[in-house]
């Protein structure tokens, strides 16, 4: 059985107002024929990036792990090293599963993401290596069989409760 692939591209955004307008009212003439497929969704979440304190076992193995904490729950994502095309599109394996905000994988529900994480860290404790608070405006766009989730992400890098830096990105992910 093959592992699920994530195919996406990200861009830094200097004019978030223009991107937000495109998400709110997509014009197929300016989007290669893509039309809205559903409503705009807004979500606030905190992404906590994890690795081992000693040696960075995930990094050494070409992997990243993230706990995404949102009102809808906590999701663990484990991503393997990807391939970036000349056009900037990243393709990589992404495993997801339910979790809790506690950094105790043994207490999380079973999932492929949890199993890969536990195997890779080999008993070493996890630590938070970075945290981002995000406000995401998302909408699905469709053209024929192609479904793409477009999101405008306003991200704030955190150190505890203190904001360190901010940036805005546009992400398009093939669904």
């Amino acid at each position: 059985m093959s592992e699920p692939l994530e195919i996406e591209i990200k861009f830094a955004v200097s004019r978030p107002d223009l991107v937000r307008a495109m998400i709110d009212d997509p014009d197929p003439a300016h989007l290669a024929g893509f039309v809205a497929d559903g409503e705009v969704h807004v979500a606030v979440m905190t992404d906590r990036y994890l690795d081992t304190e000693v040696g960075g076992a995930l990094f050494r193995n070409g992997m990243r792990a993230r706990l995404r904490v949102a009102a809808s729950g906590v999701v663990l994502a484990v991503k393997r090293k990807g391939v970036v095309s000349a056009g900037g599109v990243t393709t990589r394996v992404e495993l997801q599963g339910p979790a809790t905000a506690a950094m105790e994988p043994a207490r999380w529900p079973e999932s492929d993401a949890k199993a890969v994480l536990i195997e890779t860290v080999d008993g070493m404790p996890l630590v938070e290596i970075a945290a981002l608070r995000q406000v995401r405006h998302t909408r699905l766009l469709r053209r024929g069989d192609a479904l793409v989730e477009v999101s405008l992400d306003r991200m704030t890098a955190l150190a505890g409760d203190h904001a360190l830096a901010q940036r805005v990105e546009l992400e398009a992910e093939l669904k």
Side-chain angles (χ1 to χ4, degrees), residues 136-167:
R136 299 190 93 197
H137 289 83
T138 62
R139 183 174 228 161
L140 292 172
L141 300 177
R142 178 179 299 280
R143 185 181 74 193
D145 292 338
L147 185 64
V148 175
E149 180 182 66
V150 177
S151 67
L152 177 65
D153 301 332
R154 293 180 180 272
M155 298 176 286
T156 303
L158 302 172
D161 290 333
H162 301 288
L164 298 176
Q166 294 184 327
R167 72 176 192 251

PDB file of all heavy atoms in Angstrom, residues 136-167:
ATOM      1  N   ARG A 136      -5.956  30.930   9.218  1.00  0.00           N
ATOM      2  CA  ARG A 136      -6.023  30.415   7.853  1.00  0.00           C
ATOM      3  C   ARG A 136      -7.386  30.713   7.233  1.00  0.00           C
ATOM      4  O   ARG A 136      -8.408  30.365   7.804  1.00  0.00           O
ATOM      5  CB  ARG A 136      -5.832  28.897   7.827  1.00  0.00           C
ATOM      6  CG  ARG A 136      -4.518  28.426   8.362  1.00  0.00           C
ATOM      7  CD  ARG A 136      -4.308  26.972   8.071  1.00  0.00           C
ATOM      8  NE  ARG A 136      -3.566  26.918   6.817  1.00  0.00           N
ATOM      9  CZ  ARG A 136      -3.455  25.845   6.069  1.00  0.00           C
ATOM     10  NH1 ARG A 136      -4.054  24.730   6.402  1.00  0.00           N
ATOM     11  NH2 ARG A 136      -2.755  25.880   4.967  1.00  0.00           N
ATOM     12  N   HIS A 137      -7.359  31.344   6.072  1.00  0.00           N
ATOM     13  CA  HIS A 137      -8.557  31.531   5.243  1.00  0.00           C
ATOM     14  C   HIS A 137      -8.419  30.541   4.092  1.00  0.00           C
ATOM     15  O   HIS A 137      -7.487  30.663   3.291  1.00  0.00           O
ATOM     16  CB  HIS A 137      -8.636  32.959   4.707  1.00  0.00           C
ATOM     17  CG  HIS A 137      -8.947  33.957   5.752  1.00  0.00           C
ATOM     18  ND1 HIS A 137      -7.988  34.489   6.584  1.00  0.00           N
ATOM     19  CD2 HIS A 137     -10.112  34.504   6.129  1.00  0.00           C
ATOM     20  CE1 HIS A 137      -8.553  35.336   7.419  1.00  0.00           C
ATOM     21  NE2 HIS A 137      -9.843  35.368   7.165  1.00  0.00           N
ATOM     22  N   THR A 138      -9.310  29.570   4.010  1.00  0.00           N
ATOM     23  CA  THR A 138      -9.189  28.529   2.993  1.00  0.00           C
ATOM     24  C   THR A 138     -10.460  28.411   2.166  1.00  0.00           C
ATOM     25  O   THR A 138     -11.560  28.722   2.624  1.00  0.00           O
ATOM     26  CB  THR A 138      -8.890  27.152   3.611  1.00  0.00           C
ATOM     27  OG1 THR A 138      -9.963  26.780   4.461  1.00  0.00           O
ATOM     28  CG2 THR A 138      -7.603  27.158   4.391  1.00  0.00           C
ATOM     29  N   ARG A 139     -10.258  27.925   0.958  1.00  0.00           N
ATOM     30  CA  ARG A 139     -11.381  27.613   0.078  1.00  0.00           C
ATOM     31  C   ARG A 139     -10.921  26.556  -0.913  1.00  0.00           C
ATOM     32  O   ARG A 139      -9.778  26.572  -1.363  1.00  0.00           O
ATOM     33  CB  ARG A 139     -11.839  28.851  -0.675  1.00  0.00           C
ATOM     34  CG  ARG A 139     -13.058  28.568  -1.556  1.00  0.00           C
ATOM     35  CD  ARG A 139     -13.591  29.814  -2.182  1.00  0.00           C
ATOM     36  NE  ARG A 139     -15.029  29.836  -1.989  1.00  0.00           N
ATOM     37  CZ  ARG A 139     -15.778  30.910  -2.073  1.00  0.00           C
ATOM     38  NH1 ARG A 139     -15.232  32.075  -2.307  1.00  0.00           N
ATOM     39  NH2 ARG A 139     -17.069  30.821  -1.924  1.00  0.00           N
ATOM     40  N   LEU A 140     -11.821  25.662  -1.228  1.00  0.00           N
ATOM     41  CA  LEU A 140     -11.558  24.681  -2.274  1.00  0.00           C
ATOM     42  C   LEU A 140     -11.910  25.282  -3.627  1.00  0.00           C
ATOM     43  O   LEU A 140     -12.940  25.954  -3.766  1.00  0.00           O
ATOM     44  CB  LEU A 140     -12.380  23.409  -2.046  1.00  0.00           C
ATOM     45  CG  LEU A 140     -11.987  22.589  -0.820  1.00  0.00           C
ATOM     46  CD1 LEU A 140     -13.000  21.464  -0.606  1.00  0.00           C
ATOM     47  CD2 LEU A 140     -10.580  22.033  -0.952  1.00  0.00           C
ATOM     48  N   LEU A 141     -11.050  25.021  -4.610  1.00  0.00           N
ATOM     49  CA  LEU A 141     -11.281  25.434  -5.990  1.00  0.00           C
ATOM     50  C   LEU A 141     -11.236  24.183  -6.855  1.00  0.00           C
ATOM     51  O   LEU A 141     -10.433  23.282  -6.607  1.00  0.00           O
ATOM     52  CB  LEU A 141     -10.207  26.425  -6.455  1.00  0.00           C
ATOM     53  CG  LEU A 141     -10.082  27.729  -5.663  1.00  0.00           C
ATOM     54  CD1 LEU A 141      -8.921  28.556  -6.201  1.00  0.00           C
ATOM     55  CD2 LEU A 141     -11.373  28.522  -5.700  1.00  0.00           C
ATOM     56  N   ARG A 142     -12.097  24.126  -7.862  1.00  0.00           N
ATOM     57  CA  ARG A 142     -12.188  22.944  -8.718  1.00  0.00           C
ATOM     58  C   ARG A 142     -12.164  23.341 -10.193  1.00  0.00           C
ATOM     59  O   ARG A 142     -12.740  24.329 -10.591  1.00  0.00           O
ATOM     60  CB  ARG A 142     -13.486  22.196  -8.426  1.00  0.00           C
ATOM     61  CG  ARG A 142     -13.690  20.958  -9.310  1.00  0.00           C
ATOM     62  CD  ARG A 142     -14.965  20.224  -8.988  1.00  0.00           C
ATOM     63  NE  ARG A 142     -15.029  19.718  -7.641  1.00  0.00           N
ATOM     64  CZ  ARG A 142     -14.435  18.591  -7.214  1.00  0.00           C
ATOM     65  NH1 ARG A 142     -13.720  17.874  -8.046  1.00  0.00           N
ATOM     66  NH2 ARG A 142     -14.579  18.202  -5.965  1.00  0.00           N
ATOM     67  N   ARG A 143     -11.470  22.495 -10.959  1.00  0.00           N
ATOM     68  CA  ARG A 143     -11.543  22.555 -12.423  1.00  0.00           C
ATOM     69  C   ARG A 143     -11.558  21.103 -12.894  1.00  0.00           C
ATOM     70  O   ARG A 143     -10.566  20.390 -12.757  1.00  0.00           O
ATOM     71  CB  ARG A 143     -10.356  23.292 -13.028  1.00  0.00           C
ATOM     72  CG  ARG A 143     -10.520  23.455 -14.561  1.00  0.00           C
ATOM     73  CD  ARG A 143      -9.367  24.165 -15.198  1.00  0.00           C
ATOM     74  NE  ARG A 143      -8.233  23.247 -15.230  1.00  0.00           N
ATOM     75  CZ  ARG A 143      -6.992  23.605 -15.500  1.00  0.00           C
ATOM     76  NH1 ARG A 143      -6.689  24.858 -15.712  1.00  0.00           N
ATOM     77  NH2 ARG A 143      -6.032  22.710 -15.514  1.00  0.00           N
ATOM     78  N   GLY A 144     -12.711  20.664 -13.372  1.00  0.00           N
ATOM     79  CA  GLY A 144     -12.854  19.261 -13.760  1.00  0.00           C
ATOM     80  C   GLY A 144     -12.652  18.366 -12.549  1.00  0.00           C
ATOM     81  O   GLY A 144     -13.267  18.557 -11.509  1.00  0.00           O
ATOM     82  N   ASP A 145     -11.746  17.398 -12.669  1.00  0.00           N
ATOM     83  CA  ASP A 145     -11.451  16.486 -11.567  1.00  0.00           C
ATOM     84  C   ASP A 145     -10.409  17.042 -10.597  1.00  0.00           C
ATOM     85  O   ASP A 145     -10.155  16.428  -9.561  1.00  0.00           O
ATOM     86  CB  ASP A 145     -10.944  15.143 -12.108  1.00  0.00           C
ATOM     87  CG  ASP A 145     -12.029  14.374 -12.843  1.00  0.00           C
ATOM     88  OD1 ASP A 145     -13.221  14.641 -12.582  1.00  0.00           O
ATOM     89  OD2 ASP A 145     -11.683  13.516 -13.672  1.00  0.00           O
ATOM     90  N   ALA A 146      -9.786  18.154 -10.938  1.00  0.00           N
ATOM     91  CA  ALA A 146      -8.735  18.723 -10.087  1.00  0.00           C
ATOM     92  C   ALA A 146      -9.361  19.558  -8.970  1.00  0.00           C
ATOM     93  O   ALA A 146     -10.127  20.476  -9.231  1.00  0.00           O
ATOM     94  CB  ALA A 146      -7.792  19.583 -10.910  1.00  0.00           C
ATOM     95  N   LEU A 147      -9.021  19.215  -7.732  1.00  0.00           N
ATOM     96  CA  LEU A 147      -9.496  19.940  -6.556  1.00  0.00           C
ATOM     97  C   LEU A 147      -8.278  20.470  -5.806  1.00  0.00           C
ATOM     98  O   LEU A 147      -7.361  19.698  -5.467  1.00  0.00           O
ATOM     99  CB  LEU A 147     -10.318  19.016  -5.659  1.00  0.00           C
ATOM    100  CG  LEU A 147     -10.991  19.656  -4.453  1.00  0.00           C
ATOM    101  CD1 LEU A 147     -12.033  20.686  -4.891  1.00  0.00           C
ATOM    102  CD2 LEU A 147     -11.645  18.574  -3.587  1.00  0.00           C
ATOM    103  N   VAL A 148      -8.257  21.771  -5.567  1.00  0.00           N
ATOM    104  CA  VAL A 148      -7.131  22.427  -4.920  1.00  0.00           C
ATOM    105  C   VAL A 148      -7.645  23.221  -3.726  1.00  0.00           C
ATOM    106  O   VAL A 148      -8.633  23.957  -3.845  1.00  0.00           O
ATOM    107  CB  VAL A 148      -6.398  23.381  -5.898  1.00  0.00           C
ATOM    108  CG1 VAL A 148      -5.295  24.151  -5.199  1.00  0.00           C
ATOM    109  CG2 VAL A 148      -5.851  22.604  -7.084  1.00  0.00           C
ATOM    110  N   GLU A 149      -6.982  23.054  -2.581  1.00  0.00           N
ATOM    111  CA  GLU A 149      -7.298  23.886  -1.425  1.00  0.00           C
ATOM    112  C   GLU A 149      -6.324  25.056  -1.431  1.00  0.00           C
ATOM    113  O   GLU A 149      -5.102  24.865  -1.419  1.00  0.00           O
ATOM    114  CB  GLU A 149      -7.145  23.108  -0.117  1.00  0.00           C
ATOM    115  CG  GLU A 149      -7.474  23.971   1.095  1.00  0.00           C
ATOM    116  CD  GLU A 149      -7.273  23.236   2.390  1.00  0.00           C
ATOM    117  OE1 GLU A 149      -6.112  22.906   2.707  1.00  0.00           O
ATOM    118  OE2 GLU A 149      -8.271  22.983   3.079  1.00  0.00           O
ATOM    119  N   VAL A 150      -6.872  26.256  -1.472  1.00  0.00           N
ATOM    120  CA  VAL A 150      -6.075  27.478  -1.459  1.00  0.00           C
ATOM    121  C   VAL A 150      -6.236  28.102  -0.089  1.00  0.00           C
ATOM    122  O   VAL A 150      -7.360  28.226   0.418  1.00  0.00           O
ATOM    123  CB  VAL A 150      -6.542  28.450  -2.567  1.00  0.00           C
ATOM    124  CG1 VAL A 150      -5.764  29.747  -2.513  1.00  0.00           C
ATOM    125  CG2 VAL A 150      -6.413  27.798  -3.930  1.00  0.00           C
ATOM    126  N   SER A 151      -5.106  28.486   0.521  1.00  0.00           N
ATOM    127  CA  SER A 151      -5.210  29.109   1.838  1.00  0.00           C
ATOM    128  C   SER A 151      -4.290  30.318   1.935  1.00  0.00           C
ATOM    129  O   SER A 151      -3.184  30.321   1.388  1.00  0.00           O
ATOM    130  CB  SER A 151      -4.897  28.112   2.957  1.00  0.00           C
ATOM    131  OG  SER A 151      -3.557  27.711   2.924  1.00  0.00           O
ATOM    132  N   LEU A 152      -4.785  31.321   2.606  1.00  0.00           N
ATOM    133  CA  LEU A 152      -4.002  32.492   2.970  1.00  0.00           C
ATOM    134  C   LEU A 152      -3.696  32.325   4.449  1.00  0.00           C
ATOM    135  O   LEU A 152      -4.615  32.276   5.278  1.00  0.00           O
ATOM    136  CB  LEU A 152      -4.796  33.781   2.727  1.00  0.00           C
ATOM    137  CG  LEU A 152      -4.087  35.067   3.144  1.00  0.00           C
ATOM    138  CD1 LEU A 152      -2.837  35.305   2.294  1.00  0.00           C
ATOM    139  CD2 LEU A 152      -5.039  36.252   3.038  1.00  0.00           C
ATOM    140  N   ASP A 153      -2.417  32.187   4.780  1.00  0.00           N
ATOM    141  CA  ASP A 153      -1.998  31.889   6.147  1.00  0.00           C
ATOM    142  C   ASP A 153      -1.260  33.079   6.742  1.00  0.00           C
ATOM    143  O   ASP A 153      -0.192  33.458   6.245  1.00  0.00           O
ATOM    144  CB  ASP A 153      -1.082  30.660   6.174  1.00  0.00           C
ATOM    145  CG  ASP A 153      -1.737  29.420   5.600  1.00  0.00           C
ATOM    146  OD1 ASP A 153      -2.975  29.318   5.668  1.00  0.00           O
ATOM    147  OD2 ASP A 153      -1.005  28.554   5.084  1.00  0.00           O
ATOM    148  N   ARG A 154      -1.835  33.650   7.792  1.00  0.00           N
ATOM    149  CA  ARG A 154      -1.160  34.705   8.561  1.00  0.00           C
ATOM    150  C   ARG A 154      -0.524  34.024   9.750  1.00  0.00           C
ATOM    151  O   ARG A 154      -1.216  33.532  10.638  1.00  0.00           O
ATOM    152  CB  ARG A 154      -2.149  35.767   9.034  1.00  0.00           C
ATOM    153  CG  ARG A 154      -2.741  36.572   7.915  1.00  0.00           C
ATOM    154  CD  ARG A 154      -3.725  37.618   8.461  1.00  0.00           C
ATOM    155  NE  ARG A 154      -4.282  38.391   7.389  1.00  0.00           N
ATOM    156  CZ  ARG A 154      -3.731  39.503   6.891  1.00  0.00           C
ATOM    157  NH1 ARG A 154      -2.609  39.952   7.384  1.00  0.00           N
ATOM    158  NH2 ARG A 154      -4.309  40.142   5.898  1.00  0.00           N
ATOM    159  N   MET A 155       0.814  33.971   9.754  1.00  0.00           N
ATOM    160  CA  MET A 155       1.535  33.194  10.754  1.00  0.00           C
ATOM    161  C   MET A 155       2.352  34.094  11.665  1.00  0.00           C
ATOM    162  O   MET A 155       2.966  35.057  11.209  1.00  0.00           O
ATOM    163  CB  MET A 155       2.454  32.201  10.058  1.00  0.00           C
ATOM    164  CG  MET A 155       1.685  31.212   9.202  1.00  0.00           C
ATOM    165  SD  MET A 155       2.758  30.118   8.284  1.00  0.00           S
ATOM    166  CE  MET A 155       3.349  31.224   7.021  1.00  0.00           C
ATOM    167  N   THR A 156       2.346  33.717  12.938  1.00  0.00           N
ATOM    168  CA  THR A 156       3.140  34.410  13.941  1.00  0.00           C
ATOM    169  C   THR A 156       4.038  33.387  14.617  1.00  0.00           C
ATOM    170  O   THR A 156       3.536  32.411  15.206  1.00  0.00           O
ATOM    171  CB  THR A 156       2.238  35.083  14.992  1.00  0.00           C
ATOM    172  OG1 THR A 156       1.337  35.973  14.329  1.00  0.00           O
ATOM    173  CG2 THR A 156       3.063  35.844  16.016  1.00  0.00           C
ATOM    174  N   ALA A 157       5.351  33.585  14.530  1.00  0.00           N
ATOM    175  CA  ALA A 157       6.298  32.713  15.226  1.00  0.00           C
ATOM    176  C   ALA A 157       6.247  33.055  16.711  1.00  0.00           C
ATOM    177  O   ALA A 157       6.231  34.239  17.084  1.00  0.00           O
ATOM    178  CB  ALA A 157       7.705  32.905  14.678  1.00  0.00           C
ATOM    179  N   LEU A 158       6.218  32.024  17.552  1.00  0.00           N
ATOM    180  CA  LEU A 158       6.046  32.212  18.985  1.00  0.00           C
ATOM    181  C   LEU A 158       7.246  31.700  19.781  1.00  0.00           C
ATOM    182  O   LEU A 158       7.860  30.703  19.409  1.00  0.00           O
ATOM    183  CB  LEU A 158       4.805  31.455  19.469  1.00  0.00           C
ATOM    184  CG  LEU A 158       3.473  31.804  18.828  1.00  0.00           C
ATOM    185  CD1 LEU A 158       2.406  30.817  19.285  1.00  0.00           C
ATOM    186  CD2 LEU A 158       3.086  33.240  19.155  1.00  0.00           C
ATOM    187  N   ALA A 159       7.517  32.387  20.877  1.00  0.00           N
ATOM    188  CA  ALA A 159       8.416  31.898  21.927  1.00  0.00           C
ATOM    189  C   ALA A 159       7.576  31.973  23.193  1.00  0.00           C
ATOM    190  O   ALA A 159       7.359  33.059  23.733  1.00  0.00           O
ATOM    191  CB  ALA A 159       9.661  32.753  22.043  1.00  0.00           C
ATOM    192  N   GLY A 160       7.014  30.838  23.596  1.00  0.00           N
ATOM    193  CA  GLY A 160       6.029  30.864  24.674  1.00  0.00           C
ATOM    194  C   GLY A 160       4.803  31.599  24.171  1.00  0.00           C
ATOM    195  O   GLY A 160       4.257  31.268  23.129  1.00  0.00           O
ATOM    196  N   ASP A 161       4.387  32.637  24.887  1.00  0.00           N
ATOM    197  CA  ASP A 161       3.250  33.451  24.455  1.00  0.00           C
ATOM    198  C   ASP A 161       3.679  34.723  23.722  1.00  0.00           C
ATOM    199  O   ASP A 161       2.846  35.545  23.368  1.00  0.00           O
ATOM    200  CB  ASP A 161       2.393  33.846  25.668  1.00  0.00           C
ATOM    201  CG  ASP A 161       1.655  32.660  26.252  1.00  0.00           C
ATOM    202  OD1 ASP A 161       1.370  31.713  25.494  1.00  0.00           O
ATOM    203  OD2 ASP A 161       1.368  32.679  27.468  1.00  0.00           O
ATOM    204  N   HIS A 162       4.969  34.894  23.505  1.00  0.00           N
ATOM    205  CA  HIS A 162       5.492  36.111  22.889  1.00  0.00           C
ATOM    206  C   HIS A 162       5.657  35.940  21.383  1.00  0.00           C
ATOM    207  O   HIS A 162       6.211  34.953  20.915  1.00  0.00           O
ATOM    208  CB  HIS A 162       6.835  36.500  23.511  1.00  0.00           C
ATOM    209  CG  HIS A 162       6.767  36.728  24.988  1.00  0.00           C
ATOM    210  ND1 HIS A 162       6.155  37.832  25.545  1.00  0.00           N
ATOM    211  CD2 HIS A 162       7.191  35.972  26.020  1.00  0.00           C
ATOM    212  CE1 HIS A 162       6.221  37.756  26.860  1.00  0.00           C
ATOM    213  NE2 HIS A 162       6.841  36.629  27.176  1.00  0.00           N
ATOM    214  N   ALA A 163       5.189  36.934  20.633  1.00  0.00           N
ATOM    215  CA  ALA A 163       5.336  36.934  19.177  1.00  0.00           C
ATOM    216  C   ALA A 163       6.754  37.356  18.814  1.00  0.00           C
ATOM    217  O   ALA A 163       7.261  38.355  19.319  1.00  0.00           O
ATOM    218  CB  ALA A 163       4.333  37.887  18.555  1.00  0.00           C
ATOM    219  N   LEU A 164       7.387  36.575  17.941  1.00  0.00           N
ATOM    220  CA  LEU A 164       8.749  36.883  17.506  1.00  0.00           C
ATOM    221  C   LEU A 164       8.784  37.524  16.128  1.00  0.00           C
ATOM    222  O   LEU A 164       9.567  38.429  15.882  1.00  0.00           O
ATOM    223  CB  LEU A 164       9.593  35.609  17.465  1.00  0.00           C
ATOM    224  CG  LEU A 164       9.794  34.875  18.775  1.00  0.00           C
ATOM    225  CD1 LEU A 164      10.571  33.589  18.547  1.00  0.00           C
ATOM    226  CD2 LEU A 164      10.509  35.768  19.773  1.00  0.00           C
ATOM    227  N   ALA A 165       7.970  37.016  15.216  1.00  0.00           N
ATOM    228  CA  ALA A 165       7.967  37.504  13.843  1.00  0.00           C
ATOM    229  C   ALA A 165       6.665  37.079  13.187  1.00  0.00           C
ATOM    230  O   ALA A 165       5.989  36.164  13.663  1.00  0.00           O
ATOM    231  CB  ALA A 165       9.151  36.928  13.073  1.00  0.00           C
ATOM    232  N   GLN A 166       6.333  37.762  12.087  1.00  0.00           N
ATOM    233  CA  GLN A 166       5.113  37.424  11.351  1.00  0.00           C
ATOM    234  C   GLN A 166       5.418  37.322   9.874  1.00  0.00           C
ATOM    235  O   GLN A 166       6.354  37.955   9.372  1.00  0.00           O
ATOM    236  CB  GLN A 166       4.039  38.484  11.572  1.00  0.00           C
ATOM    237  CG  GLN A 166       3.555  38.544  12.996  1.00  0.00           C
ATOM    238  CD  GLN A 166       2.418  39.532  13.174  1.00  0.00           C
ATOM    239  OE1 GLN A 166       2.363  40.554  12.508  1.00  0.00           O
ATOM    240  NE2 GLN A 166       1.509  39.211  14.076  1.00  0.00           N
ATOM    241  N   ARG A 167       4.617  36.509   9.195  1.00  0.00           N
ATOM    242  CA  ARG A 167       4.682  36.432   7.737  1.00  0.00           C
ATOM    243  C   ARG A 167       3.331  35.953   7.225  1.00  0.00           C
ATOM    244  O   ARG A 167       2.533  35.396   7.969  1.00  0.00           O
ATOM    245  CB  ARG A 167       5.824  35.550   7.257  1.00  0.00           C
ATOM    246  CG  ARG A 167       5.622  34.073   7.468  1.00  0.00           C
ATOM    247  CD  ARG A 167       6.788  33.280   6.846  1.00  0.00           C
ATOM    248  NE  ARG A 167       6.495  31.895   6.787  1.00  0.00           N
ATOM    249  CZ  ARG A 167       7.057  30.960   7.523  1.00  0.00           C
ATOM    250  NH1 ARG A 167       7.973  31.286   8.402  1.00  0.00           N
ATOM    251  NH2 ARG A 167       6.716  29.692   7.396  1.00  0.00           N
TER     252      ARG A 167
END
